[in-house]
Amino acid sequence: MRKYSIIIPVYNRPDELQELLECLSRQTVRNFEVIIVEDGSRVKADVVVAGYSSRLDIKYFYKENGGQGFARNYGFERASGDYFILLDSDALIEPDYLAIVDKKLDTDYVDLYGGPDTDHPSFSPIQKAISYSMTSLFTTGGIRGKKNNMGGTFHPRSFNMGLSRKVWEQTGGFLTSRMGEDILFSIAAIRLGFRSALIPEAFIYHKRRTGFVPFFKQLKFFGRARINIGRFYPDELKLVHTFPLLFTLGVCSIPLWLLVYEPFFYLGLIGLGIYVSLLFVDALGKTKNVEVAFLSVAAAFVQLFGYGTGFLQEGWKRIWEKKSHRETGATIEYPS
């Protein structure tokens, strides 16, 4: 029987980790171990982990802060399973999550998989709005977490990712600790010939951010990360990835058209109004909540502006740096 190693990097999130461990303790499939890597946290989760020692096959490790990518590598090195599963500490899963993955690997084996994320009924309205925005076709959600996404081959993300031991052995793990490290890892695995797949039913409830300011900072980081991916794999930087930047520049330029050419100003307002209306109607249809729908409109603008700003910032930096430059430094604060 296949044994799984569930690897969870943690940084100052003991309460959230406890909720995830509770979910893991209720899994219907039991052939797994849990590897907790405390990545230099000031607020440790050791007491929380100890509370599950009788209910889970769980191992706890503390290391100096080096960022989530290297924390996962640390977990790989200490895992005994045949197949590794990566989850963010702010995730929740259903009791049949591992059973779904196990069935998929039994019937149509892949060495690399990813699952989608969604919101939980208990989430706050802002969390639900952010979740909608991050998965919507009207934002960058339209190019992530889909079987056939506009960005090309499906690249599993580390908030909900699985990989065989063979993938780890051949890739050597995460090349960087931040700035798109999970996409870089997926690209490296796929280019070695490993097949990737989305398992739609293996979803997680992803808490994400609880306010628009930290959400903006997170998406700004994601925009920067996309440029960093282009440092390693220039052909992976595609036109579709510029859409948030173009949206940001377009919206910001609308007032200027009033001074330059008034008809374009009104066309811009009309276009923006149509976009907002479609966004609101779609959000209302999916969330069935007027408050969440209004917040979803705000979340979409925060997401696109954040991503576009980060993309511009790192892209401008990339223009002037040596083309051989690689972004490999560690991170102190986890961006996701």
Side-chain angles (χ1 to χ4, degrees), residues 1-2 4 6 23-24 26-32 83 85 87 93-108 113 160 199-203:
M1 178 178 288
R2 187 183 304 109
Y4 296 93
I6 300 176
C23 292
L24 290 172
R26 298 175 181 174
Q27 290 300 295
T28 56
V29 169
R30 305 300 299 177
N31 52 318
F32 67 92
Y83 210 96
I85 294 176
L87 295 173
I93 60 175
E94 292 286 354
D96 61 349
Y97 173 91
L98 199 54
I100 290 169
V101 171
D102 201 47
K103 181 178 179 181
K104 166 67 177 179
L105 297 182
D106 283 342
T107 57
D108 185 20
Y113 83 83
N160 184 10
I199 306 180
E201 300 82 8
F203 65 88

Side-chain angles (χ1 to χ4, degrees), residues 9-306:
V10 185
Y11 184 75
N12 292 331
R13 289 181 173 182
D15 293 340
E16 291 183 342
L17 177 63
Q18 183 171 9
E19 292 180 288
L20 176 54
L21 292 180
E22 186 64 29
C23 292
L24 290 172
S25 71
R26 298 175 181 174
Q27 290 300 295
T28 56
V29 169
R30 305 300 299 177
N31 52 318
F32 67 92
E33 65 176 356
V34 182
I35 308 292
I36 304 298
V37 182
E38 188 92 68
D39 191 34
S41 300
R42 298 182 299 275
V43 184
K44 296 183 180 180
D46 52 343
V47 175
V48 169
V49 173
Y52 284 86
S53 59
S54 63
R55 300 170 61 187
L56 291 168
D57 178 5
I58 190 167
K59 300 178 179 67
Y60 173 83
F61 301 96
Y62 183 91
K63 62 180 286 294
E64 292 185 4
N65 177 256
Q68 53 196 1
F70 295 158
R72 296 183 187 109
N73 287 347
Y74 192 92
F76 291 154
E77 294 166 359
R78 287 154 180 80
S80 61
D82 312 299
Y83 210 96
F84 305 147
I85 294 176
L86 303 178
L87 295 173
D88 277 359
S89 61
D90 61 349
L92 300 173
I93 60 175
E94 292 286 354
D96 61 349
Y97 173 91
L98 199 54
I100 290 169
V101 171
D102 201 47
K103 181 178 179 181
K104 166 67 177 179
L105 297 182
D106 283 342
T107 57
D108 185 20
Y109 184 84
V110 290
D111 282 289
L112 186 67
Y113 83 83
D117 56 345
T118 186
D119 63 281
H120 190 272
S122 67
F123 288 1
S124 71
I126 286 183
Q127 285 179 308
K128 291 179 180 179
I130 289 174
S131 179
Y132 165 81
S133 181
M134 287 292 286
T135 56
S136 173
L137 287 171
F138 289 95
T139 65
T140 59
I143 57 173
R144 62 187 299 277
K146 303 291 188 297
K147 278 185 176 179
N148 299 302
N149 61 69
M150 292 184 289
T153 303
F154 176 67
H155 298 135
R157 310 292 179 97
S158 55
F159 62 79
N160 184 10
M161 172 193 284
L163 60 135
S164 67
R165 176 175 287 275
K166 188 176 180 181
V167 170
W168 167 56
E169 291 172 346
Q170 292 198 20
T171 60
F174 286 82
L175 176 63
T176 69
S177 190
R178 61 171 188 171
M179 298 282 280
E181 78 286 347
D182 50 356
I183 301 178
L184 288 170
F185 178 85
S186 293
I187 293 171
I190 291 167
R191 294 194 178 195
L192 284 171
F194 293 108
R195 185 164 64 96
S196 70
L198 172 71
I199 306 180
E201 300 82 8
F203 65 88
I204 67 167
Y205 300 112
H206 205 177
K207 294 181 180 179
R208 303 189 183 281
R209 296 305 188 227
T210 57
F212 286 146
V213 172
F215 183 49
F216 177 88
K217 292 179 180 179
Q218 181 186 36
L219 267 295
K220 183 179 178 182
F221 192 92
F222 288 174
R224 294 181 58 210
R226 177 52 63 177
I227 294 294
N228 191 48
I229 293 165
R231 289 185 171 103
F232 292 83
Y233 300 104
D235 59 317
E236 291 290 340
L237 191 59
K238 304 180 186 302
L239 179 63
V240 68
H241 298 129
T242 68
F243 286 179
L245 173 60
L246 296 176
F247 177 86
T248 301
L249 294 177
V251 171
C252 292
S253 69
I254 290 176
L256 298 178
W257 286 111
L258 188 60
L259 302 175
V260 178
Y261 188 59
E262 192 170 331
F264 279 7
F265 169 75
Y266 292 109
L267 284 175
L269 286 182
I270 293 171
L272 190 60
I274 293 173
Y275 173 73
V276 169
S277 299
L278 292 173
L279 189 61
F280 177 81
V281 171
D282 184 65
L284 182 61
K286 287 184 169 60
T287 66
K288 313 299 182 185
N289 186 296
V290 174
E291 180 186 7
V292 174
F294 275 115
L295 290 171
S296 295
V297 173
F301 276 78
V302 171
Q303 179 179 341
L304 292 169
F305 273 58

